[in-house]
Amino acid sequence: MKKDSQDIQSLLEWFSLHDPFPEVNRIVSIASGIVGDDKINCHKAREVGIACMSKITGLTFDNIKLKRADKVVPLLAMSSTVKVHDKKIPVDPVLLFQRMSITTALEDEIEKYFEYELAPYPLSIFDEIGMRKTQKSAIYDCFQTVILDIDNINSTFIIDGGFLLHRVVWDHEETFHNILDKYVQYVRRHFGHRVTVLFDGYTDCKKNIKAAEQRRRATTTSSSSDVIFDEIMTVPTSKQKFLANTHNKSRFILMLKEKFTTENILVKQAENDADVLIIETAIEQFNSTNTTIVQEDEEKEDEEENEDNILEVPLDYYESDE
């Protein structure tokens, strides 16, 4: 009875974070958040089966013809497919490898099976979840570290919004109004009044170069369900789970942009990834003022949040002889 009670409690906690009845018009995986298109019909498997049976009723076995268009298309087709004769076929690379390993009778047969790459993506770069996690600090190690005295008194700060979102601590059962005020206070206290904040965009996740990383985090990090919130509401879950949901994060950024605008803090948002916009904005302002870019130190990005972990680099440090 004790074990059953614990299992039920775990199940209830999981469903509290993954709404089993989302208000969407398309099929969606409540675990991963992947949304299917009009071609996905696995939720209508019974109807598809009955329709196929009606087509072969009264026919002899020799006259039965089953079309690929009558097959059930699973949700897996949205993330894992291969193109065969102009048709997209859902493929699970791990399951495919297991089947080949089991069916092969002789060791020499494996070479024949692997003459063609049947997986929809190279397994050295991807796994069954998505793109494998890389060590982004490897790029950081390519640069020689130097110690600079940065003149922050007359500097204009270009702040990465993604970095800023994780700098402020959200207290338990705190209202969104207080959290927004905290962000304003944090910017004023650390960077003054000459500030430009730039956020990533989430309008089209398919074209976002960080889409693979966002999907990986969605499967490895516990994410909250979609939350419809306003400033007077309290945060229903932890900041990490709340921001792991792309829809919640996008709505919170929209609310934060409005708050910064009312406080005379300049805000910009890119259509997708903001890195290029950050550099372009810094170059524009560098012509008239001393400019400093503030971003997360890639070497420390996965460590605990603390206020000493900030990378501030003056723009002229990146200037070349050209």
Side-chain angles (χ1 to χ4, degrees):
M1 292 174 62
K2 182 178 180 180
K3 185 176 183 299
D4 288 343
S5 178
Q6 292 175 347
D7 291 342
I8 292 174
Q9 186 61 34
S10 298
L11 194 62
L12 291 175
E13 289 178 357
W14 191 90
F15 276 113
S16 67
L17 298 175
H18 302 81
D19 185 6
F21 304 106
E23 295 182 3
V24 293
N25 297 324
R26 292 181 292 175
I27 184 172
V28 57
S29 169
I30 60 176
S32 63
I34 297 177
V35 180
D37 55 19
D38 297 335
K39 297 180 181 179
I40 305 301
N41 61 351
C42 55
H43 57 300
K44 299 180 180 179
R46 186 173 183 274
E47 290 87 340
V48 174
I50 293 175
C52 291
M53 291 172 63
S54 64
K55 292 180 180 179
I56 64 176
T57 301
L59 299 178
T60 62
F61 184 78
D62 293 339
N63 296 326
I64 294 177
K65 294 182 179 180
L66 300 177
K67 298 181 179 179
R68 288 187 176 271
D70 296 331
K71 292 181 63 176
V72 171
V73 182
L75 194 58
L76 178 67
M78 294 301 301
S79 57
S80 180
T81 58
V82 292
K83 195 172 184 180
V84 180
H85 300 301
D86 296 329
K87 294 183 179 292
K88 292 185 177 180
I89 309 299
V91 174
D92 184 348
V94 177
L95 180 61
L96 185 65
F97 176 79
Q98 292 172 346
R99 287 179 176 177
M100 288 188 295
S101 301
I102 294 173
T103 56
T104 177
L106 301 174
E107 189 172 332
D108 295 338
E109 292 183 3
I110 274 289
E111 184 177 352
K112 180 180 179 181
Y113 288 141
F114 285 101
E115 285 182 359
Y116 303 97
E117 186 177 12
L118 299 179
Y121 37 68
L123 298 180
S124 58
I125 303 177
F126 296 84
D127 57 18
E128 66 275 10
I129 298 176
M131 184 178 290
R132 298 182 185 275
K133 175 68 175 176
T134 62
Q135 185 180 359
K136 294 200 294 184
S137 59
I139 300 178
Y140 181 85
D141 295 335
C142 295
F143 294 89
Q144 182 179 1
T145 304
V146 296
I147 299 176
L148 297 174
D149 293 329
I150 302 175
D151 180 16
N152 291 333
I153 299 176
N154 298 317
S155 180
T156 297
F157 290 93
I158 308 297
I159 304 176
D160 180 5
F163 148 81
L164 183 61
L165 285 177
H166 297 281
R167 301 308 303 176
V168 175
V169 178
W170 296 15
D171 294 330
H172 183 61
E173 294 185 353
E174 190 173 26
T175 64
F176 284 99
H177 177 76
N178 292 337
I179 292 174
L180 295 175
D181 287 338
K182 278 187 173 183
Y183 279 97
V184 174
Q185 294 170 8
Y186 182 89
V187 171
R188 295 301 191 202
R189 183 171 67 251
H190 289 277
F191 309 111
H193 294 270
R194 302 173 66 178
V195 174
T196 301
V197 182
L198 296 99
F199 291 102
D200 289 326
Y202 298 90
T203 53
D204 191 347
C205 295
K206 294 181 180 179
K207 296 181 180 179
N208 194 335
I209 62 175
K210 293 182 179 178
E213 176 66 12
Q214 291 169 356
R215 284 196 297 268
R216 185 194 67 81
R217 290 177 181 175
T219 54
T220 58
T221 305
S222 179
S223 173
S224 70
S225 56
D226 286 359
V227 180
I228 306 300
F229 57 91
D230 53 31
E231 291 192 17
I232 62 175
M233 287 180 58
T234 58
V235 182
T237 181
S238 66
K239 179 177 70 172
Q240 182 181 12
K241 293 180 179 180
F242 182 84
L243 295 179
N245 183 305
T246 305
H247 299 102
N248 293 342
K249 187 175 184 180
S250 179
R251 286 195 291 266
F252 181 76
I253 289 176
L254 195 61
M255 187 181 293
L256 188 57
K257 284 174 57 182
E258 295 177 356
K259 182 66 175 180
F260 279 160
T261 302
T262 58
E263 297 292 335
N264 296 321
I265 297 175
L266 184 59
V267 183
K268 294 182 180 181
Q269 187 171 17
E271 292 185 2
N272 294 298
D273 184 66
D275 290 340
V276 175
L277 182 60
I278 290 174
I279 300 302
E280 290 177 347
T281 304
I283 293 175
E284 289 175 3
Q285 299 195 12
F286 177 65
N287 295 326
S288 57
T289 180
N290 183 29
T291 306
T292 301
I293 300 175
V294 182
Q295 285 185 296
E296 188 74 32
D297 184 345
E298 298 294 355
E299 237 179 349
K300 307 291 186 180
E301 66 173 355
D302 293 327
E303 295 183 4
E304 261 185 62
E305 299 173 358
N306 59 77
E307 293 195 356
D308 297 329
N309 181 21
I310 300 177
L311 178 64
E312 296 184 7
V313 183
L315 185 62
D316 54 3
Y317 174 63
Y318 290 110
E319 287 191 316
S320 65
D321 294 337
E322 298 178 357

